[in-house]
Amino acid sequence: MRKFKLGKKVVSICVGTMLAGIIMCNSSYAESSVKSEFEVEYSKSYIEWANSEDRTVSNMPFASSNVMPEGYLESQEASINQIGTLLNDSILKLDTVKGYAEGSTYNVMDHIPVRVKNQMNTAECWAFSLLTCFENNTYLYENIETNYSERHMDYATVKRFRDGVNPKGYNRSPSEGGVSLIGLAYLTNGTGAVSENKMPFENNTSQINLSDIDIPAEREATGYLILPQILKQFDSNGVRYYDAAGNEYTQDGLNSARRYIKECVVKYGGVVTTTAANELRYYSDPSDATGSGAYFCNNPSIKRDHAITIIGWDDNYSRNNFNSTYRPSTDGAYICLNSYGTGVQNSGTYYISYEDVLVESDTYAIESTKMIDYDNIYQSDFCGGAFKITAPDTRVGYYGLKYTKNGSEKETITHVGVSLQDYVSFEVYINPSNDNLNTDTLTFVGSSNGVLAPGYHKIDINDIEISGDSFGVVIKQTSTNNKFTVAVESSYAGSMFSDVRSSRNSYMSFDGRNWSLLNDEDISGINTENSDFCVKVFTKTGESNPDIPVDPDPDIPIVPDPDDPINPDPDIPIEPDPDIPIDPDPDIPIEPDPDIPIVPDPDDPIEMEYFRVNNYVQDDSKMLIRKIERNTKISDFIKNIDTNINFSLKNKDDRVIIENDYVNYVSTGMKIVLDNGDVYTLIVRGDLNCDGVISLTDFSKMILEYNEVTGYRLSGAPLEAADLNIDNKITLTDVSQLVVIYSSIGE
């Protein structure tokens, strides 16, 4: 068979051709045939930085571009209530986020304690901004105050030390500062965060020893978001707004992108952004920047040099508060937290106009954090997915990673992390036995459960044990437009990522069967020889067994129980306890009591009956097998049944399905009938009319059930199929999830 190749066509890149190439039509949803080329997409601000003579590694903007689909925010609101309460029951609930974001003013400091920090003479503003968002997010979701080390984030990402080279470092020094993407990689790749007391702040950028950063990470970011860029141009008519692809925003589009930023401030505790802090002329008082309460810059060629945190806004903040030479045309500003202590500006905060050229151009939000609870992490994106490649006119594609198992200890995959550069949904498949990536070797373990935004997302999957010396992970990705876009970690000369080296384990495919090694592709504008796809696999080693006795701590004295007959008096005869059976004499045969039923010994070689399914939800209380995805082959489903009981598969009419029935896929209402009399009904998510296909009929039935229309109510297996998130009720969440499933059909 001819080896499948993705193509070797060289695509030249310059500012003009790149802008032309990245402005794509979003209206077509039909999947095209396999394409023969990939293109690299860079953001407009990145192209300008790359072509600048005075570029530095610390003022590098985000390299890629993304444009938020129309209606994305509204689609997310349907599932917002399922998450519950952010704080301790009363201060802020997720179902009020929209209300807050649409309000005229908001300040995170009014709701949670926010620490105003001071970077002093260091260049650690980027670390202070990121960790402020990280700590605020932790408080919002866990109601605990934390303080993590900016110095560790700074130095753990440095290359050269006093006594050697850090193999995990970037092409930077502490005095150069950093960029947000490096800090986000640090918070997701197992390096950090660590507590402030483990590596306290010091007001210097001196070289240190490698051993000084050898501190185990305590908490990770399990999700972060790359927010849509809002770029500005100024002319005699005022300010014009553009997205990352160079398309001018409509007023509705601008409002939506800006509301996304505001919702992230409310929901996650802050948004990381940048400014040109050293440009004194743009402050409200150019002669006293530290005493200025407002800032506005309208120079599109200005270079970013400082990271800050958006913690609120005031739509009515007067334009007259800015200096008369540089004054915006409209009212309204973000409230931004600086990192120079409480003695500057408005006790450490100041206002930056909505029209400011940088404040909305390069923004990130920490979506979630968690104490580290995994044992191992397999990853091909230690430095982060700063770049992306795109196959035009291709809606669905696959990328896969091959990993070699570490050691011989039992290891179970519990989570998978994926970096995204577009608004997409995806499914995760794993081959636990070896690194073969073909579809017939893979097991479905989880999905994005809807469209996710650009950024990083660590998702929970069905646990699966690694059974071989290697394993493979495949991401099947579906875009919301007609472009298949993949995040890549790649080296780029002259940037902090210049030392990235490939693991040579990244493969791509358009059909899930024919695969090509990324490093073999010639994609102009990116160094594929040193590139990898951005996927992480998290595992737990060993297995917990509550019956294993725990050895006593030698440092804890054992206090005897006064009621325990320890060291009995040898002169007092011990009466047998009537409740403790006396071991019989082995030489005296014992006849069984015919009136006492014989209970089988669990250690007896007689095999007990068992039935269980892997990779699905087995609900023994309702005798259901749930969380079966559409297009699950019957053969694949049966492979996941683990039992020693004979069984048959029947359709919804109780007729046994046999091989020549030509029934290929599982449908709602099918049954597993065991010889012991047990019957399990199969539930396919969203298959409400039990035909194995997700169609407009299913969607119509869902709407009627959700609206409780008399005469059209669901019951039995169809009702269970409508409960997509398995919370025993039909809500707007289930409706929105079915919309996502239905919209992905046609791939």
Side-chain angles (χ1 to χ4, degrees):
M1 184 175 69
R2 182 174 63 86
K3 184 178 179 183
F4 173 79
K5 296 300 291 179
L6 292 178
K8 297 285 185 178
K9 182 176 179 180
V10 175
V11 182
S12 62
I13 293 180
C14 65
V15 173
T17 58
M18 176 54 59
L19 288 177
I22 63 179
I23 300 176
M24 300 290 179
C25 175
N26 293 340
S27 60
S28 176
Y29 282 84
E31 182 184 3
S32 302
S33 59
V34 172
K35 295 298 158 184
S36 61
E37 66 182 52
F38 270 90
E39 298 175 352
V40 179
E41 289 189 14
Y42 292 128
S43 66
K44 182 175 182 293
S45 54
Y46 180 81
I47 294 171
E48 293 172 350
W49 172 85
N51 292 330
S52 173
E53 294 182 357
D54 60 345
R55 69 175 186 177
T56 66
V57 294
S58 61
N59 66 17
M60 171 184 160
F62 189 63
S64 297
S65 61
N66 67 78
V67 178
M68 184 170 62
E70 185 177 351
Y72 173 75
L73 282 184
E74 289 70 21
S75 70
Q76 299 307 298
E77 289 162 4
S79 59
I80 205 167
N81 291 328
Q82 67 174 318
I83 306 172
T85 302
L86 277 175
L87 281 180
N88 51 348
D89 296 330
S90 60
I91 302 177
L92 180 67
K93 298 179 186 297
L94 275 174
D95 57 5
T96 66
V97 167
K98 180 182 178 182
Y100 278 127
E102 293 180 344
S104 62
T105 184
Y106 181 85
N107 191 332
V108 173
M109 287 181 158
D110 294 336
H111 299 275
I112 65 173
V114 177
R115 187 179 295 108
V116 182
K117 302 181 180 182
N118 192 344
Q119 70 181 76
M120 302 182 77
N121 296 322
T122 71
E124 291 174 353
C125 57
W126 60 285
F128 276 84
S129 179
L130 277 168
L131 287 180
T132 291
C133 290
F134 189 79
E135 292 158 3
N136 288 357
N137 182 280
T138 301
Y139 188 92
L140 281 173
Y141 284 88
E142 299 184 27
N143 200 18
I144 57 173
E145 291 190 58
T146 55
N147 189 9
Y148 291 100
S149 171
E150 289 82 13
R151 186 171 176 84
H152 187 265
M153 178 183 282
D154 187 5
Y155 278 86
T157 54
V158 165
K159 175 66 72 176
R160 289 169 180 80
F161 284 72
R162 196 157 49 199
D163 56 348
V165 173
N166 176 14
K168 300 178 180 179
Y170 296 77
N171 179 31
R172 58 174 295 269
S173 68
S175 61
E176 290 180 295
V179 295
S180 295
L181 200 62
I182 289 177
L184 293 168
Y186 162 92
L187 293 171
T188 57
N189 64 20
T191 307
V194 306
S195 296
E196 172 71 15
N197 58 13
K198 300 289 181 62
M199 191 170 181
F201 173 81
E202 293 184 18
N203 186 23
N204 62 67
T205 56
S206 304
Q207 272 200 322
I208 60 176
N209 294 323
L210 280 165
S211 58
D212 294 330
I213 64 169
D214 189 16
I215 306 170
E218 300 167 31
R219 182 177 282 271
E220 62 175 328
T222 52
Y224 67 77
L225 300 174
I226 304 165
L227 307 189
Q229 291 180 303
I230 304 177
L231 308 176
K232 289 126 184 176
Q233 292 289 338
F234 296 85
D235 57 29
S236 57
N237 295 320
V239 59
R240 303 172 76 93
Y241 298 89
Y242 297 86
D243 65 24
N247 304 307
E248 186 167 6
Y249 275 110
T250 63
Q251 188 59 52
D252 286 345
L254 175 63
N255 292 343
S256 183
R258 189 163 285 163
R259 201 183 98 207
Y260 192 7
I261 294 175
K262 293 179 177 181
E263 286 198 1
C264 288
V265 171
V266 177
K267 194 188 303 185
Y268 305 126
V271 166
V272 177
T273 190
T274 55
T275 185
N278 289 321
E279 299 292 336
L280 302 184
R281 62 187 182 277
Y282 299 120
Y283 287 93
S284 53
D285 183 356
S287 65
D288 182 15
T290 60
S292 293
Y295 178 95
F296 165 65
C297 171
N298 62 354
N299 180 2
S301 63
I302 203 73
K303 303 301 179 186
R304 66 196 75 233
D305 58 27
H306 185 53
I308 52 178
T309 309
I310 299 175
I311 59 168
W313 65 88
D314 184 349
D315 292 343
N316 300 316
Y317 189 77
S318 175
R319 60 184 292 273
N320 295 319
N321 291 324
F322 301 90
N323 82 54
S324 57
T325 304
Y326 299 99
R327 178 167 289 167
S329 61
T330 58
D331 295 342
Y334 289 109
I335 303 171
C336 296
L337 178 67
N338 219 325
S339 52
Y340 292 114
T342 58
V344 302
Q345 298 166 330
N346 304 314
S347 299
T349 68
Y350 65 124
Y351 292 85
I352 297 183
S353 169
Y354 290 149
E355 294 183 9
D356 180 84
V357 73
L358 290 177
V359 72
E360 297 172 317
S361 67
D362 198 33
T363 51
Y364 309 83
I366 302 289
E367 190 176 26
S368 54
T369 78
K370 185 180 180 181
M371 293 297 291
I372 287 177
D373 60 357
Y374 58 84
D375 294 317
N376 293 317
I377 177 173
Y378 297 84
Q379 58 187 328
S380 52
D381 63 335
F382 186 90
C383 297
F387 307 95
K388 73 175 179 181
I389 58 175
T390 296
D393 303 319
T394 305
R395 185 166 178 249
V396 178
Y398 303 75
Y399 46 102
L401 289 300
K402 298 182 178 182
Y403 294 105
T404 301
K405 183 175 180 290
N406 296 328
S408 59
E409 191 174 2
K410 178 180 177 180
E411 204 165 354
T412 301
I413 301 173
T414 60
H415 295 81
V416 170
V418 183
S419 291
L420 304 177
Q421 290 278 15
D422 208 343
Y423 294 82
V424 304
S425 59
F426 61 83
E427 299 169 357
V428 182
Y429 297 83
I430 290 179
N431 176 358
S433 304
N434 53 62
D435 59 11
N436 189 330
L437 301 180
N438 289 339
T439 53
D440 57 357
T441 69
L442 302 172
T443 298
F444 172 82
V445 295
S447 72
S448 60
N449 201 21
V451 174
L452 296 180
Y456 169 78
H457 305 274
K458 181 179 178 181
I459 66 167
D460 191 9
I461 64 168
N462 299 326
D463 291 1
I464 186 167
E465 183 180 346
I466 301 173
S467 56
D469 295 330
S470 62
F471 62 94
V473 180
V474 170
I475 307 299
K476 179 185 178 183
Q477 182 176 295
T478 303
S479 71
T480 55
N481 49 37
N482 207 28
K483 299 188 295 183
F484 175 61
T485 298
V486 190
V488 293
E489 173 182 279
S490 184
S491 65
Y492 189 91
S495 75
M496 295 187 183
F497 303 96
S498 60
D499 294 328
V500 169
R501 295 295 177 265
S502 172
S503 301
R504 298 192 66 83
N505 67 338
S506 297
Y507 295 79
M508 49 192 175
S509 170
F510 289 115
D511 60 7
R513 295 182 299 277
N514 300 288
W515 293 87
S516 176
L517 181 66
L518 173 62
N519 307 112
D520 290 342
E521 293 301 311
D522 185 8
I523 305 173
S524 182
I526 196 167
N527 181 357
T528 54
E529 181 62 29
N530 286 309
S531 295
D532 287 314
F533 293 134
C534 300
V535 176
K536 304 179 190 291
V537 177
F538 300 86
T539 69
K540 298 280 288 185
T541 57
E543 56 184 336
S544 60
N545 187 343
D547 297 328
I548 298 176
V550 180
D551 293 332
D553 189 330
D555 297 327
I556 301 176
I558 299 176
V559 180
D561 185 341
D563 298 325
D564 195 3
I566 300 175
N567 299 323
D569 189 326
D571 296 328
I572 300 176
I574 300 176
E575 295 293 333
D577 188 330
D579 296 326
I580 300 177
I582 301 174
D583 291 334
D585 188 325
D587 297 327
I588 301 176
I590 301 176
E591 295 294 331
D593 188 330
D595 297 326
I596 300 176
I598 299 175
V599 180
D601 185 342
D603 297 326
D604 194 283
I606 298 175
E607 188 173 24
M608 305 294 289
E609 289 186 339
Y610 64 89
F611 174 83
R612 50 183 172 262
V613 293
N614 301 317
N615 301 317
Y616 307 106
V617 174
Q618 180 175 335
D619 185 347
D620 290 326
S621 64
K622 292 185 177 182
M623 299 301 289
L624 302 174
I625 299 174
R626 319 185 64 147
K627 212 171 183 180
I628 304 172
E629 299 295 330
R630 70 180 183 90
N631 294 345
T632 297
K633 292 182 179 179
I634 289 176
S635 57
D636 290 338
F637 175 77
I638 291 176
K639 288 178 185 177
N640 285 287
I641 296 177
D642 183 12
T643 183
N644 61 355
I645 310 171
N646 291 329
F647 67 89
S648 59
L649 179 64
K650 293 186 177 182
N651 65 14
K652 62 182 179 180
D653 299 320
D654 284 333
R655 187 171 64 82
V656 175
I657 297 173
I658 56 179
E659 290 184 4
N660 60 3
D661 275 338
Y662 302 102
V663 179
N664 294 322
Y665 297 103
V666 176
S667 61
T668 293
M670 286 184 176
K671 299 172 183 176
I672 295 291
V673 181
L674 305 175
D675 280 3
N676 67 358
D678 289 344
V679 178
Y680 284 87
T681 301
L682 311 187
I683 306 298
V684 176
R685 298 177 72 245
D687 178 22
L688 278 60
N689 66 342
C690 304
D691 63 354
V693 178
I694 309 299
S695 66
L696 193 58
T697 301
D698 300 291
F699 185 72
S700 300
K701 287 179 176 290
M702 173 70 88
I703 295 299
L704 292 169
E705 173 62 29
Y706 173 72
N707 287 307
E708 301 180 354
V709 177
T710 303
Y712 295 93
R713 302 302 301 277
L714 299 174
S715 61
L719 180 61
E720 301 292 350
D723 184 14
L724 276 77
N725 65 344
I726 314 180
D727 64 353
N728 296 314
K729 55 187 176 181
I730 307 303
T731 67
L732 200 55
T733 299
D734 302 297
V735 177
S736 64
Q737 291 185 8
L738 184 57
V739 170
V740 172
I741 294 174
Y742 180 69
S743 66
S744 68
I745 295 173
E747 58 196 47

